[in-house]
């Protein structure tokens, strides 16, 4: 019986954030960080997942697929899932119109279809950002799930057509038939481990220790005897632990070794399985 599920997810951005998101600053030196992710970091993570025999879900911008086809093909050949991550890695809130956002989503779908032979089932927004149009665009293209929101910690929930006027009460809205598999900035390697602007590095061992402690907390909640109703409402029974990695970040030494130790710690607990996000949905 599965007590907890781990979803290893990888945002394979390569050089796209520096080309298409102005906040990062574009230069050959900045882009070299993305090249490292494509040419070194991604193969390292794929090799680690292969040695540990764990599945994963890779969110790949169409720009990465078109620019670095070999590592992207390896993702597919080794049985990992490919999810949508825009074509240009532009945060949805930065588009000037619904048409511009829709065109980027459509182009990203085309790149994934060329790579895998089928349209993606899932979507992760660049920079975990939605515009007022994102949900309706996901509905239009028939996405089954998203992994971009934070309304829960370890429990999938339904996306809704929210209404958030500034001067009136917030309205949650009706479900739209898309499952949200929640993420967290606390389980993302980029804020903690990547240099950006005036943000320097963290204590790397402490970051991986924090991820382990979060997993252990979720796992321990599954052990507490409670009614089925309370477990369902808390979302902690059979929790889904989503971690977000970037090849240009977690692929740098000595982080693959620390990631291996974390995965082995999780796998050693009874009733833990590793799954692609689509398998969870």
């Amino acid at each position: 019986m599965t007590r907890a599920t781990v979803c290893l997810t990888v945002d394979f951005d390569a050089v796209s954030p520096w080309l298409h998101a102005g906040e990062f600053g574009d230069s050959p030196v900045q882009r070299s960080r993305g090249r490292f992710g494509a040419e070194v970091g991604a193969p390292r993570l794929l090799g680690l997942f292969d040695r540990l025999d764990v599945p994963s879900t890779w969110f790949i911008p169409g720009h990465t697929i078109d620019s670095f086809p070999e590592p992207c093909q390896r993702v597919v050949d080794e049985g990992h899932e490919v999810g949508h991550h825009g074509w240009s890695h532009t945060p949805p809130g930065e588009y000037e119109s619904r048409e511009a956002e829709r065109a980027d989503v459509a182009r990203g779908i085309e790149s994934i279809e060329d790579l895998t032979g089928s349209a993606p089932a899932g979507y992760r927004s660049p920079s975990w950002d939605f515009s007022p149009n994102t949900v309706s665009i996901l509905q239009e293209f028939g996405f089954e799930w998203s992994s971009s929101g934070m309304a829960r910690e370890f429990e999938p929930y339904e996306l809704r057509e929210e209404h958030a006027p500034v001067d009136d009460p917030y309205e949650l809205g009706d479900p739209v038939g898309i499952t949200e598999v929640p993420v967290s900035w606390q389980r993302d390697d980029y804020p903690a481990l990547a240099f950006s602007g005036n943000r320097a590095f963290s204590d790397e061992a402490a970051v991986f220790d924090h991820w382990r402690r979060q997993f252990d907390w979720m796992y321990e909640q599954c052990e507490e005897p409670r009614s089925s109703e309370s477990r369902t409402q808390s979302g902690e029974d059979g929790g889904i632990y989503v971690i977000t990695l970037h090849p240009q970040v977690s692929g740098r030494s000595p982080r693959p070794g620390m990631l291996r130790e974390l995965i082995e710690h999780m796998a050693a607990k009874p009733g833990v399985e590793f799954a692609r996000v689509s398998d969870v949905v």
Side-chain angles (χ1 to χ4, degrees), residues 115-130:
L115 176 66
T116 68
S118 60
Y123 171 83
R124 171 170 287 171
S125 62
S127 302
W128 289 339
D129 175 48
F130 273 19

Side-chain angles (χ1 to χ4, degrees), residues 98 102 109 133-143 178:
R98 185 184 192 280
R102 183 191 182 281
I109 292 173
N133 303 305
T134 304
V135 171
S136 68
I137 291 172
L138 297 183
Q139 286 181 284
E140 178 183 346
F141 284 107
F143 282 94
I178 298 173

Side-chain angles (χ1 to χ4, degrees), residues 3-201:
R3 284 244 314 272
T5 302
V6 177
C7 290
L8 301 170
T9 69
V10 182
D11 289 4
F12 189 8
D13 301 334
V15 302
S16 61
W18 288 283
L19 288 171
H20 302 108
E23 64 179 287
F24 291 96
D26 182 30
S27 77
V29 171
Q30 295 286 18
R31 292 193 298 272
S32 71
R33 296 164 64 182
R35 283 188 55 200
F36 175 90
E39 299 168 359
V40 181
R44 281 181 178 171
L45 292 183
L46 287 166
L48 174 64
F49 297 159
D50 180 61
R51 289 191 298 275
L52 298 178
D53 192 25
V54 290
S56 62
T57 298
W58 290 60
F59 296 93
I60 312 181
H63 183 272
T64 299
I65 294 172
D66 298 346
S67 303
F68 300 97
E70 291 186 8
C72 296
Q73 187 63 55
R74 182 176 169 185
V75 170
V76 177
D77 292 345
E78 296 188 6
H80 302 285
E81 178 179 23
V82 175
H84 197 291
H85 200 40
W87 187 88
S88 63
H89 197 277
T90 299
E94 295 184 5
Y95 289 105
E96 295 183 356
S97 66
R98 185 184 192 280
E99 291 73 21
E101 181 180 354
R102 183 191 182 281
D104 193 80
V105 172
R107 190 176 180 185
I109 292 173
E110 291 176 2
S111 294
I112 292 175
E113 288 177 333
D114 290 342
L115 176 66
T116 68
S118 60
Y123 171 83
R124 171 170 287 171
S125 62
S127 302
W128 289 339
D129 175 48
F130 273 19
S131 79
N133 303 305
T134 304
V135 171
S136 68
I137 291 172
L138 297 183
Q139 286 181 284
E140 178 183 346
F141 284 107
F143 282 94
E144 299 174 13
W145 56 267
S146 165
S147 186
S148 313
M150 307 180 191
R152 298 290 186 274
E153 280 198 297
F154 309 114
E155 173 192 11
Y157 59 95
E158 286 293 308
L159 273 182
R160 293 173 178 263
E161 193 67 67
E162 301 179 333
H163 302 284
V166 175
D167 297 324
D168 292 304
Y170 170 79
E171 297 178 22
L172 186 56
D174 297 324
V176 299
I178 298 173
T179 300
E180 182 66 56
V181 182
V183 292
S184 171
W185 288 114
Q186 290 187 315
R187 295 190 300 280
D188 184 329
D189 61 0
Y190 206 97
L193 298 174
F195 177 82
S196 180
N198 59 2
R199 186 177 68 235
F201 296 105

